[in-house]
Amino acid sequence: MDKIFKNITDNMNQTVLKDIDFNEKNKEKVRQAIENRKKKRFNLKPTIHFLLPLGATCLFFLGISYFILSELGILSTENQTVFLNNTSENVLNVPENEMSFIKPPAKEESFEDMTKEDVFLKMLNSVDNFDTATGKFVNYDIYADDSDSKDITEFKVSIKNEIGGYEKSTNLFDEKLIQEINYNNEKIWIKYHDTKTYFVNDYQQAPTQDALTLEEALSISLKDIYKSDNDFRERPPIGGSGISLFPYEEASIYLRNMSLWEIEKQNEALLDHNTIVLKGKIDDQVKSRFNMIGTIDTFRFWVDKDTGILIKYETYDINGELASYLHPEYLVVNSEINLQEFVPKLDGFKPFVKKEFLHPDPKEEEIEMVAQADTIKEDRDEVLELLRKDLPFLYEFNHPDLEIFSAMYEKYQNFNHGYLTYTYKNDLGVFYLRTYHKNSLIRTTSDFEKDKGEMKETFTVNGIEWRSYELSNLTGTHFIGSKDEYIYEVVSQVSGSVTYQETKDLLESLKPIK
C-alpha cells in the first residue's frame, strides 16, 4: 500500500495544487518529524522518501502534509510560489447559524452472491454507488526498509449534487502533525496544525467518466497505475480516505491476477454493512514492482457489497503475521451532512507566505528533465543505464553502506547532468550527488544550495580535487570537486553519530562504473 497516494497527488497536481513552494524549511520539518519518530520508538528506520527533493509518495500525512508540496505541478521546481488570497470570498458562503443539510437517498444493503468479476467492478466504480460518506479509520503500513507509518483519518464527503468534503489526518507517531482538508466545487483549503498555516486555491470537480470495465483496468500496466493520465475513475481531492472510498488502485493491483485470490465469505456484517470478504496471495510481479519483498505476502479485503467501498483491509507477512491494515471505527453511507461541515475554520491560522527561492536564473526553464525514478528499482535501473550511456564522466558510489535510492537525468542545451541519491546505512543519513560540465547552467535546488560554513580542507581522491565545507544549519558536509571540465558535488546529511572523517572516507568509493 506504500504507493496508494501517488495517483491522488498527481491528479491534484494538475488542478488545485499547482503553485506551491516547498522550501528547505519545509523539508527540515519533515526531517525533524522523522527524527522525533526515531526517538520515540526503537528500531525505527526513517522512510527516506521524505528526505528527497522529488520524493514519490508515500504516507498520507507526511506525504500529503509536506511532500504533496514537492510534487505539485508534477515534481515542481523550487522556484514556484504560493497562491494566496486570504479574503472572505475564499470561505464557503454558509452562515454558521444556518443548518443546510445534504439529504441523499437511504443506503441499501446487498445480500446477493457476487462473482469475482462483480466485486472487482464494484471497487473500480465505487464513485457511482453512493452520494455521501462519513467515517473514521486507523491506517498502519510497514515498508521494505522497515520504516512504518500510522495515521488516523476522519472524513465527510458529498460527491453528488452538493459537492464538498472534509478530512482530518493525524500522525499517531507524532500527534502534533495534523492536517485538515476542506473543499467545495470552487475552492480547496489545506490546514497544517503544527505550523498553524493554511493554503487555499481554486478547485473544479473532475468530469464524470464512463464506468470502467475489467479489460480497461487490467490494460493499465503496473508501472502506469499511479500515473495521472491513467484511465481510472474520477475522485474528489481527498487523501487517506480515498484508500477506502475509491479503491481503484488497490483493486487493480491486488486483484489483477484472478487465480491468486478467492471469495472467502459472501456475507459478513461489519459496522452495519454487509461485506464480501476476499483473501489471496500477492503476485510476485506486484511485490517486485512496489518494493513489497520481505514485507507482505497475502491480503484480506472486506468490501461493501452495495457500493464497492473497501471498508477494511489487512496484509500479512510470510508467517501469517499482520503487517499492515486499515481498521475502521465507523462508516456511514448516504447519511445527512450539514454543509457547515465543509467550512474551514481558519481562526488562529495564517496563510503561507509567498516567497521566491534563491533568485533562480530564468534560463532554468530551458533545463529539460530527461528521466527520473526513485523507489521502483526497475525504473531506477533504466535511468541509470541512460546516465551511464550519455554521461561518460559519471561517477557513482560503490560502497556496501550506501544504497542508491533515486536517479535523475537532466539536460541543458548540449550539456547533460546526472543526479543520484543514496541512503546511508538505511537510517543514518542521505547522500546527494550531482555531476555536470563546468560551463553548464544547472537547476537551483535546495539539496545543494545550502548554507556552508568556512572551507575545511582540500584533498584529492580518485583524480577529483575536492574542497569540503561543513553545513551551517545541518549535520553534514558539502564536498565540491573538479576533474578535467566537470564538477562533482556531494552533500551528505547524516546523523550526529557519523563523523566528518567517516563521511569523507566514503569518497574513496566514488568511481566510474566500468
Side-chain angles (χ1 to χ4, degrees):
M1 294 284 176
D2 60 336
K3 286 281 187 174
I4 52 182
F5 302 111
K6 177 65 174 175
N7 180 260
I8 296 171
T9 55
D10 282 346
N11 287 339
M12 295 172 78
N13 289 343
Q14 298 184 359
T15 55
V16 300
L17 301 175
K18 295 184 291 186
D19 299 303
I20 297 293
D21 172 51
F22 185 63
N23 58 34
E24 187 57 37
K25 183 177 180 180
N26 301 128
K27 290 187 179 183
E28 184 57 26
K29 286 182 176 293
V30 176
R31 298 183 184 106
Q32 291 171 0
I34 294 170
E35 185 63 26
N36 288 338
R37 286 173 55 187
K38 289 168 62 180
K39 291 177 182 177
K40 291 181 179 182
R41 304 165 59 247
F42 294 102
N43 299 321
L44 176 63
K45 300 177 184 177
T47 307
I48 197 65
H49 304 57
F50 301 142
L51 298 175
L52 303 176
L54 303 173
T57 74
C58 28
L59 314 174
F60 173 67
F61 185 76
L62 287 177
I64 287 187
S65 179
Y66 289 110
F67 265 80
I68 193 173
L69 303 179
S70 69
E71 291 193 340
L72 300 176
I74 306 181
L75 299 172
S76 61
T77 58
E78 309 206 36
N79 60 335
Q80 291 178 314
T81 56
V82 179
F83 169 82
L84 292 175
N85 190 356
N86 185 18
T87 70
S88 60
E89 294 177 355
N90 287 328
V91 180
L92 292 169
N93 189 23
V94 181
E96 290 189 7
N97 60 356
E98 182 177 322
M99 302 297 285
S100 179
F101 286 92
I102 300 168
K103 298 182 179 181
K107 168 75 163 63
E108 296 182 2
E109 296 298 332
S110 172
F111 294 89
E112 296 183 2
D113 283 358
M114 300 179 75
T115 65
K116 287 184 175 184
E117 289 78 9
D118 291 336
V119 66
F120 202 156
L121 283 170
K122 278 280 187 177
M123 294 178 72
L124 290 171
N125 297 286
S126 62
V127 68
D128 293 333
N129 303 322
F130 66 95
D131 288 29
T132 70
T134 301
K136 182 178 182 179
F137 61 76
V138 175
N139 185 203
Y140 175 80
D141 278 303
I142 189 167
Y143 306 98
D145 65 352
D146 291 339
S147 64
D148 53 0
S149 66
K150 191 174 185 180
D151 307 290
I152 188 165
T153 300
E154 304 170 67
F155 61 88
K156 294 187 179 186
V157 297
S158 175
I159 61 175
K160 296 175 184 174
N161 299 320
E162 297 288 345
I163 303 301
Y166 166 78
E167 182 176 281
K168 179 181 179 181
S169 183
T170 303
N171 184 320
L172 294 180
F173 293 153
D174 187 346
E175 295 186 356
K176 297 189 299 294
L177 296 178
I178 300 173
Q179 175 188 275
E180 291 182 86
I181 297 174
N182 292 79
Y183 73 92
N184 68 344
N185 60 352
E186 294 181 352
K187 297 286 182 182
I188 180 171
W189 300 259
I190 303 180
K191 295 165 54 180
Y192 306 99
H193 284 242
D194 60 325
T195 59
K196 292 296 182 182
T197 56
Y198 74 91
F199 139 127
V200 58
N201 209 344
D202 295 329
Y203 170 68
Q204 185 174 0
Q205 184 185 17
T208 300
Q209 299 169 221
D210 292 336
L212 199 66
T213 66
L214 287 183
E215 291 75 15
E216 290 169 333
L218 294 176
S219 69
I220 302 173
S221 67
L222 285 173
K223 69 183 180 67
D224 294 331
I225 278 191
Y226 291 103
K227 290 186 177 178
S228 59
D229 58 353
N230 62 38
D231 294 322
F232 289 126
R233 297 296 304 278
E234 69 277 6
R235 78 183 96 203
I238 52 178
S241 56
I243 312 168
S244 175
L245 299 178
F246 310 101
Y248 312 148
E249 290 80 14
E250 286 69 34
S252 299
I253 290 171
Y254 288 82
L255 307 183
R256 67 190 299 116
N257 189 333
M258 304 283 278
S259 66
L260 292 181
W261 62 277
E262 62 184 26
I263 296 172
E264 183 178 45
K265 194 172 183 179
Q266 277 286 347
N267 297 289
E268 180 170 311
L270 178 62
L271 297 178
D272 297 324
H273 297 276
N274 188 48
T275 69
I276 183 169
V277 185
L278 317 178
K279 73 171 184 178
K281 187 173 178 62
I282 300 170
D283 190 288
D284 287 342
Q285 290 185 347
V286 169
K287 290 182 184 180
S288 176
R289 183 72 198 175
F290 298 110
N291 204 23
M292 298 176 182
I293 301 297
T295 56
I296 60 176
D297 186 58
T298 58
F299 70 93
R300 183 174 275 110
F301 285 175
W302 286 258
V303 181
D304 180 45
K305 294 183 80 169
D306 185 54
T307 64
I309 291 173
L310 179 58
I311 299 180
K312 176 180 177 180
Y313 76 72
E314 294 180 345
T315 66
Y316 314 92
D317 63 22
I318 58 174
N319 298 315
E321 298 293 328
L322 186 63
S324 63
Y325 57 80
L326 185 154
H327 284 172
E329 292 191 15
Y330 64 87
L331 173 68
V332 183
V333 173
N334 284 5
S335 63
E336 289 189 353
I337 296 181
N338 183 4
L339 286 175
Q340 190 68 35
E341 299 279 358
F342 304 150
V343 178
K345 295 177 175 59
L346 302 178
D347 291 346
F349 285 76
K350 296 180 180 180
F352 279 108
V353 177
K354 179 178 179 180
K355 61 191 304 181
E356 300 292 336
F357 180 77
L358 297 175
H359 309 291
D361 190 327
K363 290 184 179 180
E364 287 187 21
E365 295 182 3
E366 300 176 28
I367 297 175
E368 173 191 357
M369 168 75 76
V370 179
Q372 187 273 336
D374 39 48
T375 55
I376 298 174
K377 183 179 185 301
E378 177 185 340
D379 294 346
R380 192 173 62 235
D381 288 346
E382 290 180 4
V383 178
L384 274 172
E385 286 305 311
L386 280 175
L387 288 170
R388 290 165 181 166
K389 173 177 174 290
D390 293 351
L391 280 67
F393 53 89
L394 183 72
Y395 275 50
E396 301 175 50
F397 280 108
N398 183 17
H399 192 282
D401 291 336
L402 288 170
E403 180 179 358
I404 190 164
F405 180 82
S406 71
M408 185 170 70
Y409 178 1
E410 290 193 333
K411 180 187 290 288
Y412 174 71
Q413 297 178 353
N414 294 323
F415 299 110
N416 298 327
H417 312 156
Y419 289 76
L420 301 175
T421 306
Y422 298 81
T423 60
Y424 180 53
K425 292 185 178 179
N426 290 328
D427 61 351
L428 291 183
V430 59
F431 278 60
Y432 302 102
L433 164 66
R434 69 178 174 186
T435 308
Y436 53 92
H437 194 281
K438 65 181 182 181
N439 294 330
S440 178
L441 176 70
I442 54 175
R443 189 182 305 283
T444 303
T445 167
S446 65
D447 293 321
F448 294 91
E449 272 66 44
K450 297 185 180 300
D451 292 335
K452 296 189 289 290
E454 294 184 2
M455 187 175 68
K456 286 182 64 67
E457 63 174 326
T458 62
F459 55 92
T460 301
V461 176
N462 295 333
I464 300 177
E465 298 178 0
W466 294 98
R467 307 186 310 277
S468 64
Y469 303 82
E470 285 191 352
L471 302 180
S472 296
N473 300 316
L474 295 169
T475 303
T477 308
H478 191 161
F479 299 94
I480 302 176
S482 62
K483 180 181 180 181
D484 300 326
E485 297 183 320
Y486 297 98
I487 305 297
Y488 299 85
E489 289 189 71
V490 174
V491 171
S492 67
Q493 290 179 226
V494 295
S495 72
S497 63
V498 180
T499 66
Y500 167 76
Q501 187 60 46
E502 181 180 352
T503 304
K504 175 184 172 183
D505 289 346
L506 291 170
L507 294 179
E508 294 281 355
S509 70
L510 187 64
K511 302 175 182 179
I513 299 297
K514 302 298 183 183

